[in-house]
Amino acid sequence: MLRRSLAILLVPALIAAPATAELLAPPAELAPIPVALLVDVNSGRTLYSREPDRRFLPASTTKVMTAFVAFEEIAAGRLASDRQFIVSDPTARQWNGRGTSMYLKAGDRVSTDDLLHGIATASANDASIVLAESYAGDVPRWCAMMNRAAAMLGMTGSRFATPNGWPDQGATYVTARDLVTLGEATITRHPQLYRTYFGQKRMTWNGVELISHDPTVGVVRGADGIKTGHTNEAGYNFLGSAERDGRRLVMVVAGAKTEADRASSSRALLEWGFAEWHDRPLFASGKAVAKAAVQAGDAREVPLVTHRAIAATLARGETGPITLTVHYRGPLVAPIAKDAQVAELEIRAGDAPSSRLPLFAGQAVAKAGPLDRLVNGVMGWFS
């Protein structure tokens, strides 16, 4: 098959000032932060980047991958939110009160829903272990699920050897680029579950109020998560996100020396992203962007749709034009499942590096039967 590219749109940006994104100064609060990344989800454009591929210890931001794996299992119908688990005596003895905790005791009956609230809000180390052991059989099997999910998402710079981020001599590590990928996937693949479990400031378990350390929720307008992390070795980390008027940003700061530095840099980076950049809407979620040719199917082409609102992101004062190109390896070969990712949309705004977003089959295409092959052959003569 051949790699096919289709230029579908050329839009001159309606901005006349001779400015570029490179002229935008980042927030001063980022000065002491060794790793930082800010991405606009609607366009895939990187708005700010510092050491995005540097490996670091994630601490409790690891728990986002534990939540993501659980979300995938829930979506597949293999894990019910009301499923009950019983806390084992060894787990309770090892993890009750160890770091941030739900203080689970041996014999406690706790649901998937309770555990996910504990993981996302209270950053509960014991909840992560109970979910991993109870569902997968043991922690290594759960970590294997985490690493398979990371590979599926293309997180090539990360590895997970713990469900909760407890120090493990560097066996668990991530990059900012991979954490942003994980955050985007958690939000876009499981929007309802994300809203249910992330972005909550407090929860109550057995009469005890547990508080989130998220530095942005309730402070930055539109902030709704995602997860902090801290150990002495890792420093203070944060994977965060905020949405305003349909525009979604995801960010990472890592290796901050103090909790105050983490808070101020995270808030400043999100506010800078909303104030200094704007989105030019292109396609609503679910809309067809283009069509791809299909071989040996009961249809000769399939619509390519987006599962998110798509925009081009421009800096304040940045000039265009905006160019969109669809890429796919084609013709696509039937059968094709509905919602299978089959193409990418490349977005280029001005002279900035381009970004790519996934496109999905808007309908199923079955293998062609004898009549379909006859009709397609005839149509081919006239196309």
Side-chain angles (χ1 to χ4, degrees):
M1 291 189 294
L2 300 176
R3 172 67 70 179
R4 296 197 170 188
S5 299
L6 175 63
I8 59 171
L9 189 63
L10 182 66
V11 183
L14 302 180
I15 301 172
T20 64
E22 287 70 20
L23 298 179
L24 291 179
E29 290 86 348
L30 285 177
I33 306 300
V35 175
L37 184 63
L38 178 66
V39 173
D40 187 300
V41 172
N42 300 63
S43 67
R45 182 170 180 177
T46 296
L47 310 186
Y48 180 80
S49 176
R50 179 184 295 170
E51 298 282 2
D53 298 309
R54 171 177 164 181
R55 291 178 176 178
F56 61 89
L57 305 179
S60 283
T61 56
T62 300
K63 295 182 178 89
V64 181
M65 180 56 87
T66 283
F68 178 79
V69 169
F71 290 177
E72 291 280 291
E73 295 302 295
I74 291 170
R78 294 185 290 263
L79 176 60
S81 61
D82 60 355
R83 179 172 171 178
Q84 298 289 310
F85 301 104
I86 299 177
V87 181
S88 71
D89 181 68
T91 297
R93 282 190 283 108
Q94 182 178 2
W95 290 101
N96 182 297
R98 192 177 186 187
T100 49
S101 177
M102 284 178 69
Y103 304 96
L104 297 171
K105 302 184 297 295
D108 278 350
R109 296 182 65 88
V110 58
S111 68
T112 304
D113 178 70
D114 294 326
L115 292 172
L116 285 173
H117 277 296
I119 290 166
T121 299
S123 193
N125 292 313
D126 52 353
S128 303
I129 298 296
V130 169
L131 179 61
E133 291 180 337
S134 299
Y135 183 76
D138 57 34
V139 165
R141 288 189 181 97
W142 180 266
C143 291
M145 295 173 67
M146 297 170 76
N147 287 313
R148 285 196 295 271
M152 179 268 292
L153 295 175
M155 297 172 59
T156 57
S158 300
R159 181 178 181 273
F160 298 94
T162 168
N164 57 19
W166 193 261
D168 59 3
Q169 291 75 53
T172 298
Y173 53 83
V174 296
T175 67
R177 194 184 306 278
D178 283 353
L179 278 186
V180 164
T181 296
L182 175 59
E184 288 184 5
T186 303
I187 294 166
T188 58
R189 289 171 68 93
H190 307 290
Q192 186 57 53
L193 290 169
Y194 175 77
R195 288 191 293 269
T196 297
Y197 293 107
F198 286 98
Q200 313 301 317
K201 289 297 292 182
R202 54 184 50 82
M203 65 172 289
T204 301
W205 172 254
N206 279 347
V208 177
E209 187 175 59
L210 305 173
I211 305 297
S212 167
H213 291 96
D214 189 301
T216 61
V217 172
V219 179
V220 175
R221 182 169 67 87
D224 53 12
I226 304 172
K227 189 74 194 67
T228 57
H230 169 255
T231 64
N232 291 336
E233 297 89 344
Y236 291 86
N237 304 333
F238 182 54
L239 168 63
S241 185
E243 185 177 35
R244 293 182 187 173
D245 303 320
R247 183 180 173 214
R248 167 77 65 180
L249 303 182
V250 175
M251 49 92 28
V252 169
V253 295
K257 292 183 178 180
T258 69
E259 187 173 9
D261 282 346
R262 177 178 67 187
S264 62
S265 60
S266 299
R267 295 165 185 168
L269 188 57
L270 285 171
E271 293 290 4
W272 177 83
F274 284 115
E276 298 294 334
W277 302 77
H278 69 277
D279 276 1
R280 177 84 176 273
L282 298 172
F283 301 98
S285 179
K287 293 296 185 181
V289 173
K291 293 181 179 180
V294 175
Q295 178 178 307
D298 62 359
R300 300 181 67 244
E301 58 186 16
V302 63
L304 304 175
V305 304
T306 171
H307 286 177
R308 67 179 81 177
I310 287 183
T313 303
L314 297 165
R316 177 173 52 84
E318 187 178 16
T319 60
I322 300 166
T323 306
L324 306 184
T325 308
V326 171
H327 299 274
Y328 68 97
R329 190 176 295 278
L332 305 176
V333 179
I336 302 168
K338 186 178 185 298
D339 292 327
Q341 182 181 337
V342 293
E344 291 182 325
L345 176 66
E346 180 182 12
I347 305 174
R348 182 179 296 276
D351 296 327
S354 64
S355 58
R356 293 197 178 197
L357 297 175
L359 294 175
F360 305 87
Q363 64 188 43
V365 181
K367 288 190 75 69
L371 180 59
D372 296 313
R373 288 195 294 271
L374 176 62
V375 171
N376 289 340
V378 173
M379 292 296 293
W381 284 102
F382 295 97
S383 62

Coordinates of all heavy atoms in Angstrom, one line a residue, residues 272-327:
W272 N -1.1 31.4 31.0 CA -0.3 31.9 29.8 C -0.8 31.2 28.6 O -1.0 31.8 27.5 CB 1.1 31.6 30.0 CG 2.1 32.0 28.9 CD1 2.6 33.2 28.6 CD2 2.6 31.1 27.9 NE1 3.4 33.1 27.5 CE2 3.5 31.8 27.1 CE3 2.5 29.7 27.7 CZ2 4.2 31.3 26.0 CZ3 3.1 29.1 26.6 CH2 4.0 29.9 25.8
G273 N -1.1 29.9 28.6 CA -1.6 29.2 27.5 C -3.0 29.7 27.0 O -3.2 29.8 25.8
F274 N -3.8 30.1 27.9 CA -5.1 30.7 27.5 C -5.0 32.1 27.1 O -5.7 32.5 26.2 CB -6.1 30.5 28.7 CG -6.7 29.1 28.9 CD1 -6.4 28.4 30.0 CD2 -7.4 28.5 27.9 CE1 -6.9 27.1 30.2 CE2 -7.9 27.2 28.1 CZ -7.6 26.5 29.2
A275 N -4.2 32.9 27.7 CA -4.1 34.3 27.4 C -3.3 34.6 26.2 O -3.7 35.6 25.4 CB -3.5 35.1 28.6
E276 N -2.2 33.9 25.9 CA -1.3 34.2 24.8 C -1.6 33.4 23.5 O -0.9 33.7 22.5 CB 0.1 34.0 25.3 CG 0.5 34.9 26.4 CD 0.6 36.4 26.1 OE1 0.7 36.7 24.9 OE2 0.4 37.2 27.0
W277 N -2.5 32.5 23.6 CA -2.8 31.7 22.4 C -4.3 31.6 22.2 O -5.0 31.7 23.2 CB -2.2 30.2 22.6 CG -0.8 30.2 22.8 CD1 -0.1 30.4 24.0 CD2 0.2 29.8 21.9 NE1 1.2 30.3 23.9 CE2 1.5 29.9 22.6 CE3 0.2 29.4 20.6 CZ2 2.7 29.6 21.9 CZ3 1.4 29.1 19.9 CH2 2.6 29.2 20.6
H278 N -4.7 31.3 21.0 CA -6.1 31.2 20.8 C -6.3 30.1 19.7 O -5.4 29.8 18.9 CB -6.8 32.5 20.3 CG -6.4 32.9 19.0 ND1 -5.3 33.7 18.7 CD2 -7.0 32.8 17.7 CE1 -5.2 33.9 17.4 NE2 -6.2 33.4 16.8
D279 N -7.5 29.5 19.7 CA -7.8 28.4 18.7 C -8.7 29.0 17.6 O -9.6 29.8 17.8 CB -8.6 27.3 19.4 CG -7.6 26.3 20.1 OD1 -6.4 26.5 20.0 OD2 -8.1 25.3 20.7
R280 N -8.4 28.5 16.4 CA -9.2 28.8 15.2 C -10.0 27.5 15.0 O -9.5 26.5 14.5 CB -8.3 29.1 14.0 CG -9.1 29.4 12.7 CD -9.6 30.8 12.7 NE -10.3 31.0 11.4 CZ -9.6 31.4 10.3 NH1 -8.3 31.7 10.3 NH2 -10.3 31.6 9.2
P281 N -11.3 27.4 15.3 CA -12.1 26.2 15.2 C -12.1 25.7 13.7 O -12.3 26.5 12.8 CB -13.5 26.6 15.7 CG -13.3 27.7 16.6 CD -12.1 28.5 15.9
L282 N -12.0 24.4 13.6 CA -12.0 23.8 12.2 C -13.1 22.7 12.1 O -13.8 22.8 11.1 CB -10.6 23.1 11.9 CG -9.4 24.1 11.9 CD1 -8.1 23.3 11.8 CD2 -9.5 25.1 10.8
F283 N -13.1 21.8 13.0 CA -14.1 20.7 12.9 C -14.7 20.4 14.3 O -13.9 20.3 15.2 CB -13.5 19.4 12.3 CG -12.9 19.6 11.0 CD1 -11.6 19.8 10.8 CD2 -13.7 19.5 9.8 CE1 -11.0 19.9 9.6 CE2 -13.2 19.7 8.6 CZ -11.8 19.9 8.4
A284 N -16.0 20.2 14.4 CA -16.6 19.8 15.6 C -16.4 18.3 15.8 O -16.1 17.5 14.9 CB -18.1 20.1 15.6
S285 N -16.4 17.8 17.1 CA -16.2 16.4 17.3 C -17.3 15.6 16.6 O -18.5 15.9 16.5 CB -16.4 16.2 18.8 OG -16.3 14.8 19.1
G286 N -16.8 14.5 16.0 CA -17.7 13.6 15.2 C -17.9 14.0 13.8 O -18.6 13.2 13.0
K287 N -17.4 15.1 13.3 CA -17.6 15.6 12.0 C -16.6 14.9 11.0 O -15.5 14.5 11.4 CB -17.4 17.1 11.8 CG -18.5 17.9 12.6 CD -19.8 17.7 11.9 CE -20.9 18.5 12.5 NZ -22.2 18.3 12.0
A288 N -17.0 14.7 9.8 CA -16.2 14.1 8.8 C -15.2 15.1 8.2 O -15.6 16.3 7.9 CB -17.0 13.5 7.6
V289 N -13.9 14.8 8.2 CA -12.9 15.7 7.8 C -12.6 15.4 6.3 O -12.3 16.4 5.5 CB -11.6 15.5 8.6 CG1 -10.4 16.2 8.1 CG2 -11.9 15.9 10.1
A290 N -12.6 14.2 5.9 CA -12.3 13.8 4.5 C -12.8 12.4 4.3 O -13.5 11.8 5.1 CB -10.8 13.9 4.2
K291 N -12.5 11.8 3.1 CA -12.8 10.4 2.8 C -11.6 9.7 2.3 O -10.7 10.3 1.7 CB -13.9 10.3 1.7 CG -15.3 10.9 2.2 CD -16.3 10.7 1.1 CE -17.7 11.2 1.6 NZ -18.7 11.1 0.5
A292 N -11.5 8.4 2.7 CA -10.3 7.6 2.3 C -10.8 6.5 1.3 O -11.9 6.0 1.5 CB -9.6 7.0 3.5
A293 N -10.0 6.2 0.3 CA -10.4 5.1 -0.6 C -10.2 3.8 0.1 O -9.4 3.6 1.0 CB -9.4 5.2 -1.8
V294 N -11.1 2.9 -0.2 CA -11.2 1.5 0.4 C -11.1 0.5 -0.7 O -11.7 0.6 -1.8 CB -12.5 1.3 1.2 CG1 -12.6 -0.1 1.7 CG2 -12.6 2.3 2.3
Q295 N -10.3 -0.5 -0.5 CA -10.1 -1.6 -1.4 C -10.8 -2.9 -0.8 O -10.7 -3.2 0.4 CB -8.6 -1.9 -1.6 CG -8.3 -3.1 -2.5 CD -6.8 -3.2 -2.6 OE1 -6.1 -2.3 -2.9 NE2 -6.3 -4.4 -2.3
A296 N -11.4 -3.6 -1.7 CA -12.1 -4.9 -1.4 C -13.2 -4.8 -0.4 O -13.4 -5.7 0.4 CB -11.0 -5.9 -1.0
G297 N -13.9 -3.7 -0.3 CA -14.9 -3.5 0.6 C -16.3 -3.3 0.0 O -16.4 -3.2 -1.3
D298 N -17.3 -3.4 0.8 CA -18.7 -3.2 0.2 C -19.0 -1.7 0.0 O -20.1 -1.3 -0.4 CB -19.7 -3.8 1.1 CG -19.8 -3.2 2.5 OD1 -19.0 -2.3 2.8 OD2 -20.7 -3.7 3.3
A299 N -18.0 -0.8 0.3 CA -18.0 0.6 -0.1 C -16.7 1.0 -0.6 O -15.6 0.4 -0.2 CB -18.4 1.4 1.1
R300 N -16.6 1.9 -1.5 CA -15.4 2.3 -2.2 C -14.6 3.3 -1.4 O -13.5 3.6 -1.7 CB -15.6 2.8 -3.6 CG -16.3 1.7 -4.5 CD -16.6 2.2 -5.9 NE -15.3 2.4 -6.6 CZ -14.9 3.6 -7.1 NH1 -15.6 4.6 -6.9 NH2 -13.8 3.7 -7.8
E301 N -15.2 3.9 -0.4 CA -14.6 4.9 0.4 C -15.2 5.0 1.8 O -16.4 4.5 2.0 CB -14.6 6.3 -0.2 CG -16.0 6.8 -0.5 CD -15.9 8.1 -1.3 OE1 -14.9 8.5 -1.9 OE2 -17.0 8.8 -1.4
V302 N -14.5 5.5 2.8 CA -15.0 5.6 4.1 C -14.8 7.0 4.6 O -13.7 7.6 4.4 CB -14.4 4.6 5.0 CG1 -12.9 4.8 5.2 CG2 -15.0 4.6 6.4
P303 N -15.8 7.7 5.3 CA -15.5 9.0 5.9 C -14.5 8.9 7.0 O -14.5 7.9 7.8 CB -16.9 9.4 6.4 CG -17.7 8.2 6.6 CD -17.1 7.2 5.5
L304 N -13.7 9.9 7.1 CA -12.7 10.0 8.2 C -13.2 11.1 9.2 O -13.4 12.2 8.8 CB -11.3 10.4 7.7 CG -10.8 9.5 6.6 CD1 -9.5 10.1 6.0 CD2 -10.5 8.1 7.1
V305 N -13.5 10.7 10.4 CA -14.1 11.6 11.4 C -13.1 11.8 12.6 O -12.2 11.0 12.8 CB -15.4 11.0 11.9 CG1 -16.4 10.8 10.7 CG2 -15.2 9.8 12.7
T306 N -13.4 12.9 13.3 CA -12.6 13.2 14.5 C -13.5 12.9 15.7 O -14.7 13.0 15.7 CB -12.2 14.7 14.5 OG1 -11.7 15.0 15.8 CG2 -13.4 15.6 14.2
H307 N -12.8 12.4 16.8 CA -13.5 12.2 18.1 C -13.3 13.3 19.0 O -13.6 13.2 20.2 CB -12.9 10.9 18.7 CG -13.4 9.6 18.0 ND1 -13.0 8.4 18.4 CD2 -14.3 9.5 17.0 CE1 -13.6 7.5 17.6 NE2 -14.4 8.1 16.7
R308 N -12.8 14.4 18.6 CA -12.6 15.6 19.4 C -12.8 16.8 18.5 O -12.7 16.8 17.3 CB -11.2 15.7 20.1 CG -10.1 15.9 19.0 CD -8.7 16.0 19.7 NE -8.2 14.6 20.0 CZ -7.0 14.4 20.4 NH1 -6.2 15.5 20.7 NH2 -6.5 13.2 20.6
A309 N -13.1 18.0 19.2 CA -13.1 19.2 18.4 C -11.7 19.5 17.9 O -10.8 19.4 18.7 CB -13.7 20.3 19.3
I310 N -11.6 19.9 16.7 CA -10.3 20.2 16.1 C -10.2 21.6 15.8 O -11.1 22.2 15.2 CB -10.0 19.3 14.9 CG1 -9.8 17.8 15.3 CG2 -8.8 19.8 14.1 CD1 -9.5 16.9 14.2
A311 N -9.0 22.2 16.1 CA -8.7 23.6 15.8 C -7.3 23.8 15.4 O -6.5 22.9 15.6 CB -9.1 24.4 17.0
A312 N -7.0 24.9 14.9 CA -5.6 25.4 14.7 C -5.3 26.4 15.8 O -6.1 27.2 16.1 CB -5.4 26.0 13.3
T313 N -4.1 26.2 16.4 CA -3.8 27.1 17.5 C -2.8 28.2 17.0 O -1.8 27.8 16.4 CB -3.2 26.3 18.7 OG1 -4.1 25.3 19.1 CG2 -2.8 27.2 19.9
L314 N -3.0 29.4 17.3 CA -2.2 30.5 16.9 C -1.8 31.3 18.1 O -2.6 31.6 19.0 CB -2.9 31.4 15.9 CG -3.3 30.8 14.6 CD1 -4.3 31.6 13.8 CD2 -2.0 30.5 13.7
A315 N -0.6 31.8 18.2 CA -0.1 32.7 19.2 C -0.7 34.1 19.0 O -1.0 34.4 17.9 CB 1.4 32.7 19.3
R316 N -0.7 34.8 20.1 CA -1.1 36.2 19.9 C -0.2 36.9 18.9 O 1.0 37.0 19.1 CB -1.0 36.9 21.3 CG -1.4 38.4 21.3 CD -1.4 39.0 22.7 NE -0.2 38.7 23.5 CZ 0.9 39.4 23.4 NH1 1.0 40.4 22.6 NH2 1.9 39.0 24.2
G317 N -0.8 37.5 17.9 CA 0.0 38.2 16.8 C 0.6 37.3 15.8 O 1.3 37.8 14.9
E318 N 0.4 36.0 15.8 CA 1.0 35.1 14.9 C 0.3 35.1 13.5 O -0.9 35.2 13.5 CB 1.0 33.6 15.4 CG 1.8 32.7 14.6 CD 1.8 31.3 15.2 OE1 1.0 31.0 16.1 OE2 2.7 30.5 14.8
T319 N 1.0 35.0 12.5 CA 0.5 35.0 11.1 C 0.3 33.6 10.7 O 0.9 32.7 11.2 CB 1.4 35.7 10.1 OG1 2.6 35.1 10.1 CG2 1.5 37.2 10.5
G320 N -0.6 33.4 9.6 CA -0.9 32.1 9.0 C 0.1 31.9 7.9 O 1.2 32.4 7.9
P321 N -0.3 31.1 6.9 CA -1.7 30.5 6.8 C -1.8 29.2 7.6 O -0.8 28.7 8.1 CB -1.8 30.2 5.3 CG -0.4 29.9 4.9 CD 0.5 30.8 5.7
I322 N -3.0 28.6 7.6 CA -3.2 27.3 8.2 C -3.4 26.3 7.1 O -4.3 26.5 6.3 CB -4.5 27.4 9.1 CG1 -4.3 28.4 10.2 CG2 -4.8 26.0 9.7 CD1 -5.6 28.8 10.9
T323 N -2.7 25.2 7.2 CA -2.7 24.2 6.1 C -3.1 22.9 6.8 O -2.4 22.5 7.8 CB -1.4 24.1 5.4 OG1 -1.0 25.3 4.9 CG2 -1.5 23.1 4.2
L324 N -4.0 22.2 6.2 CA -4.4 20.9 6.7 C -4.2 19.8 5.7 O -4.5 20.0 4.5 CB -5.9 20.8 7.1 CG -6.4 21.9 8.1 CD1 -7.9 21.7 8.4 CD2 -5.6 22.0 9.3
T325 N -3.6 18.7 6.1 CA -3.4 17.5 5.2 C -3.7 16.2 5.9 O -3.4 16.0 7.1 CB -1.9 17.5 4.8 OG1 -1.5 18.8 4.4 CG2 -1.6 16.4 3.8
V326 N -4.5 15.4 5.2 CA -4.8 14.1 5.7 C -3.8 13.1 5.2 O -3.5 13.0 4.0 CB -6.2 13.7 5.2 CG1 -6.5 12.2 5.6 CG2 -7.3 14.6 5.9
H327 N -3.3 12.2 6.1 CA -2.4 11.2 5.8 C -3.0 9.8 6.1 O -3.5 9.6 7.2 CB -1.1 11.3 6.6 CG -0.3 12.6 6.3 ND1 0.5 12.8 5.2 CD2 -0.4 13.8 6.9 CE1 1.0 14.0 5.3 NE2 0.5 14.7 6.3

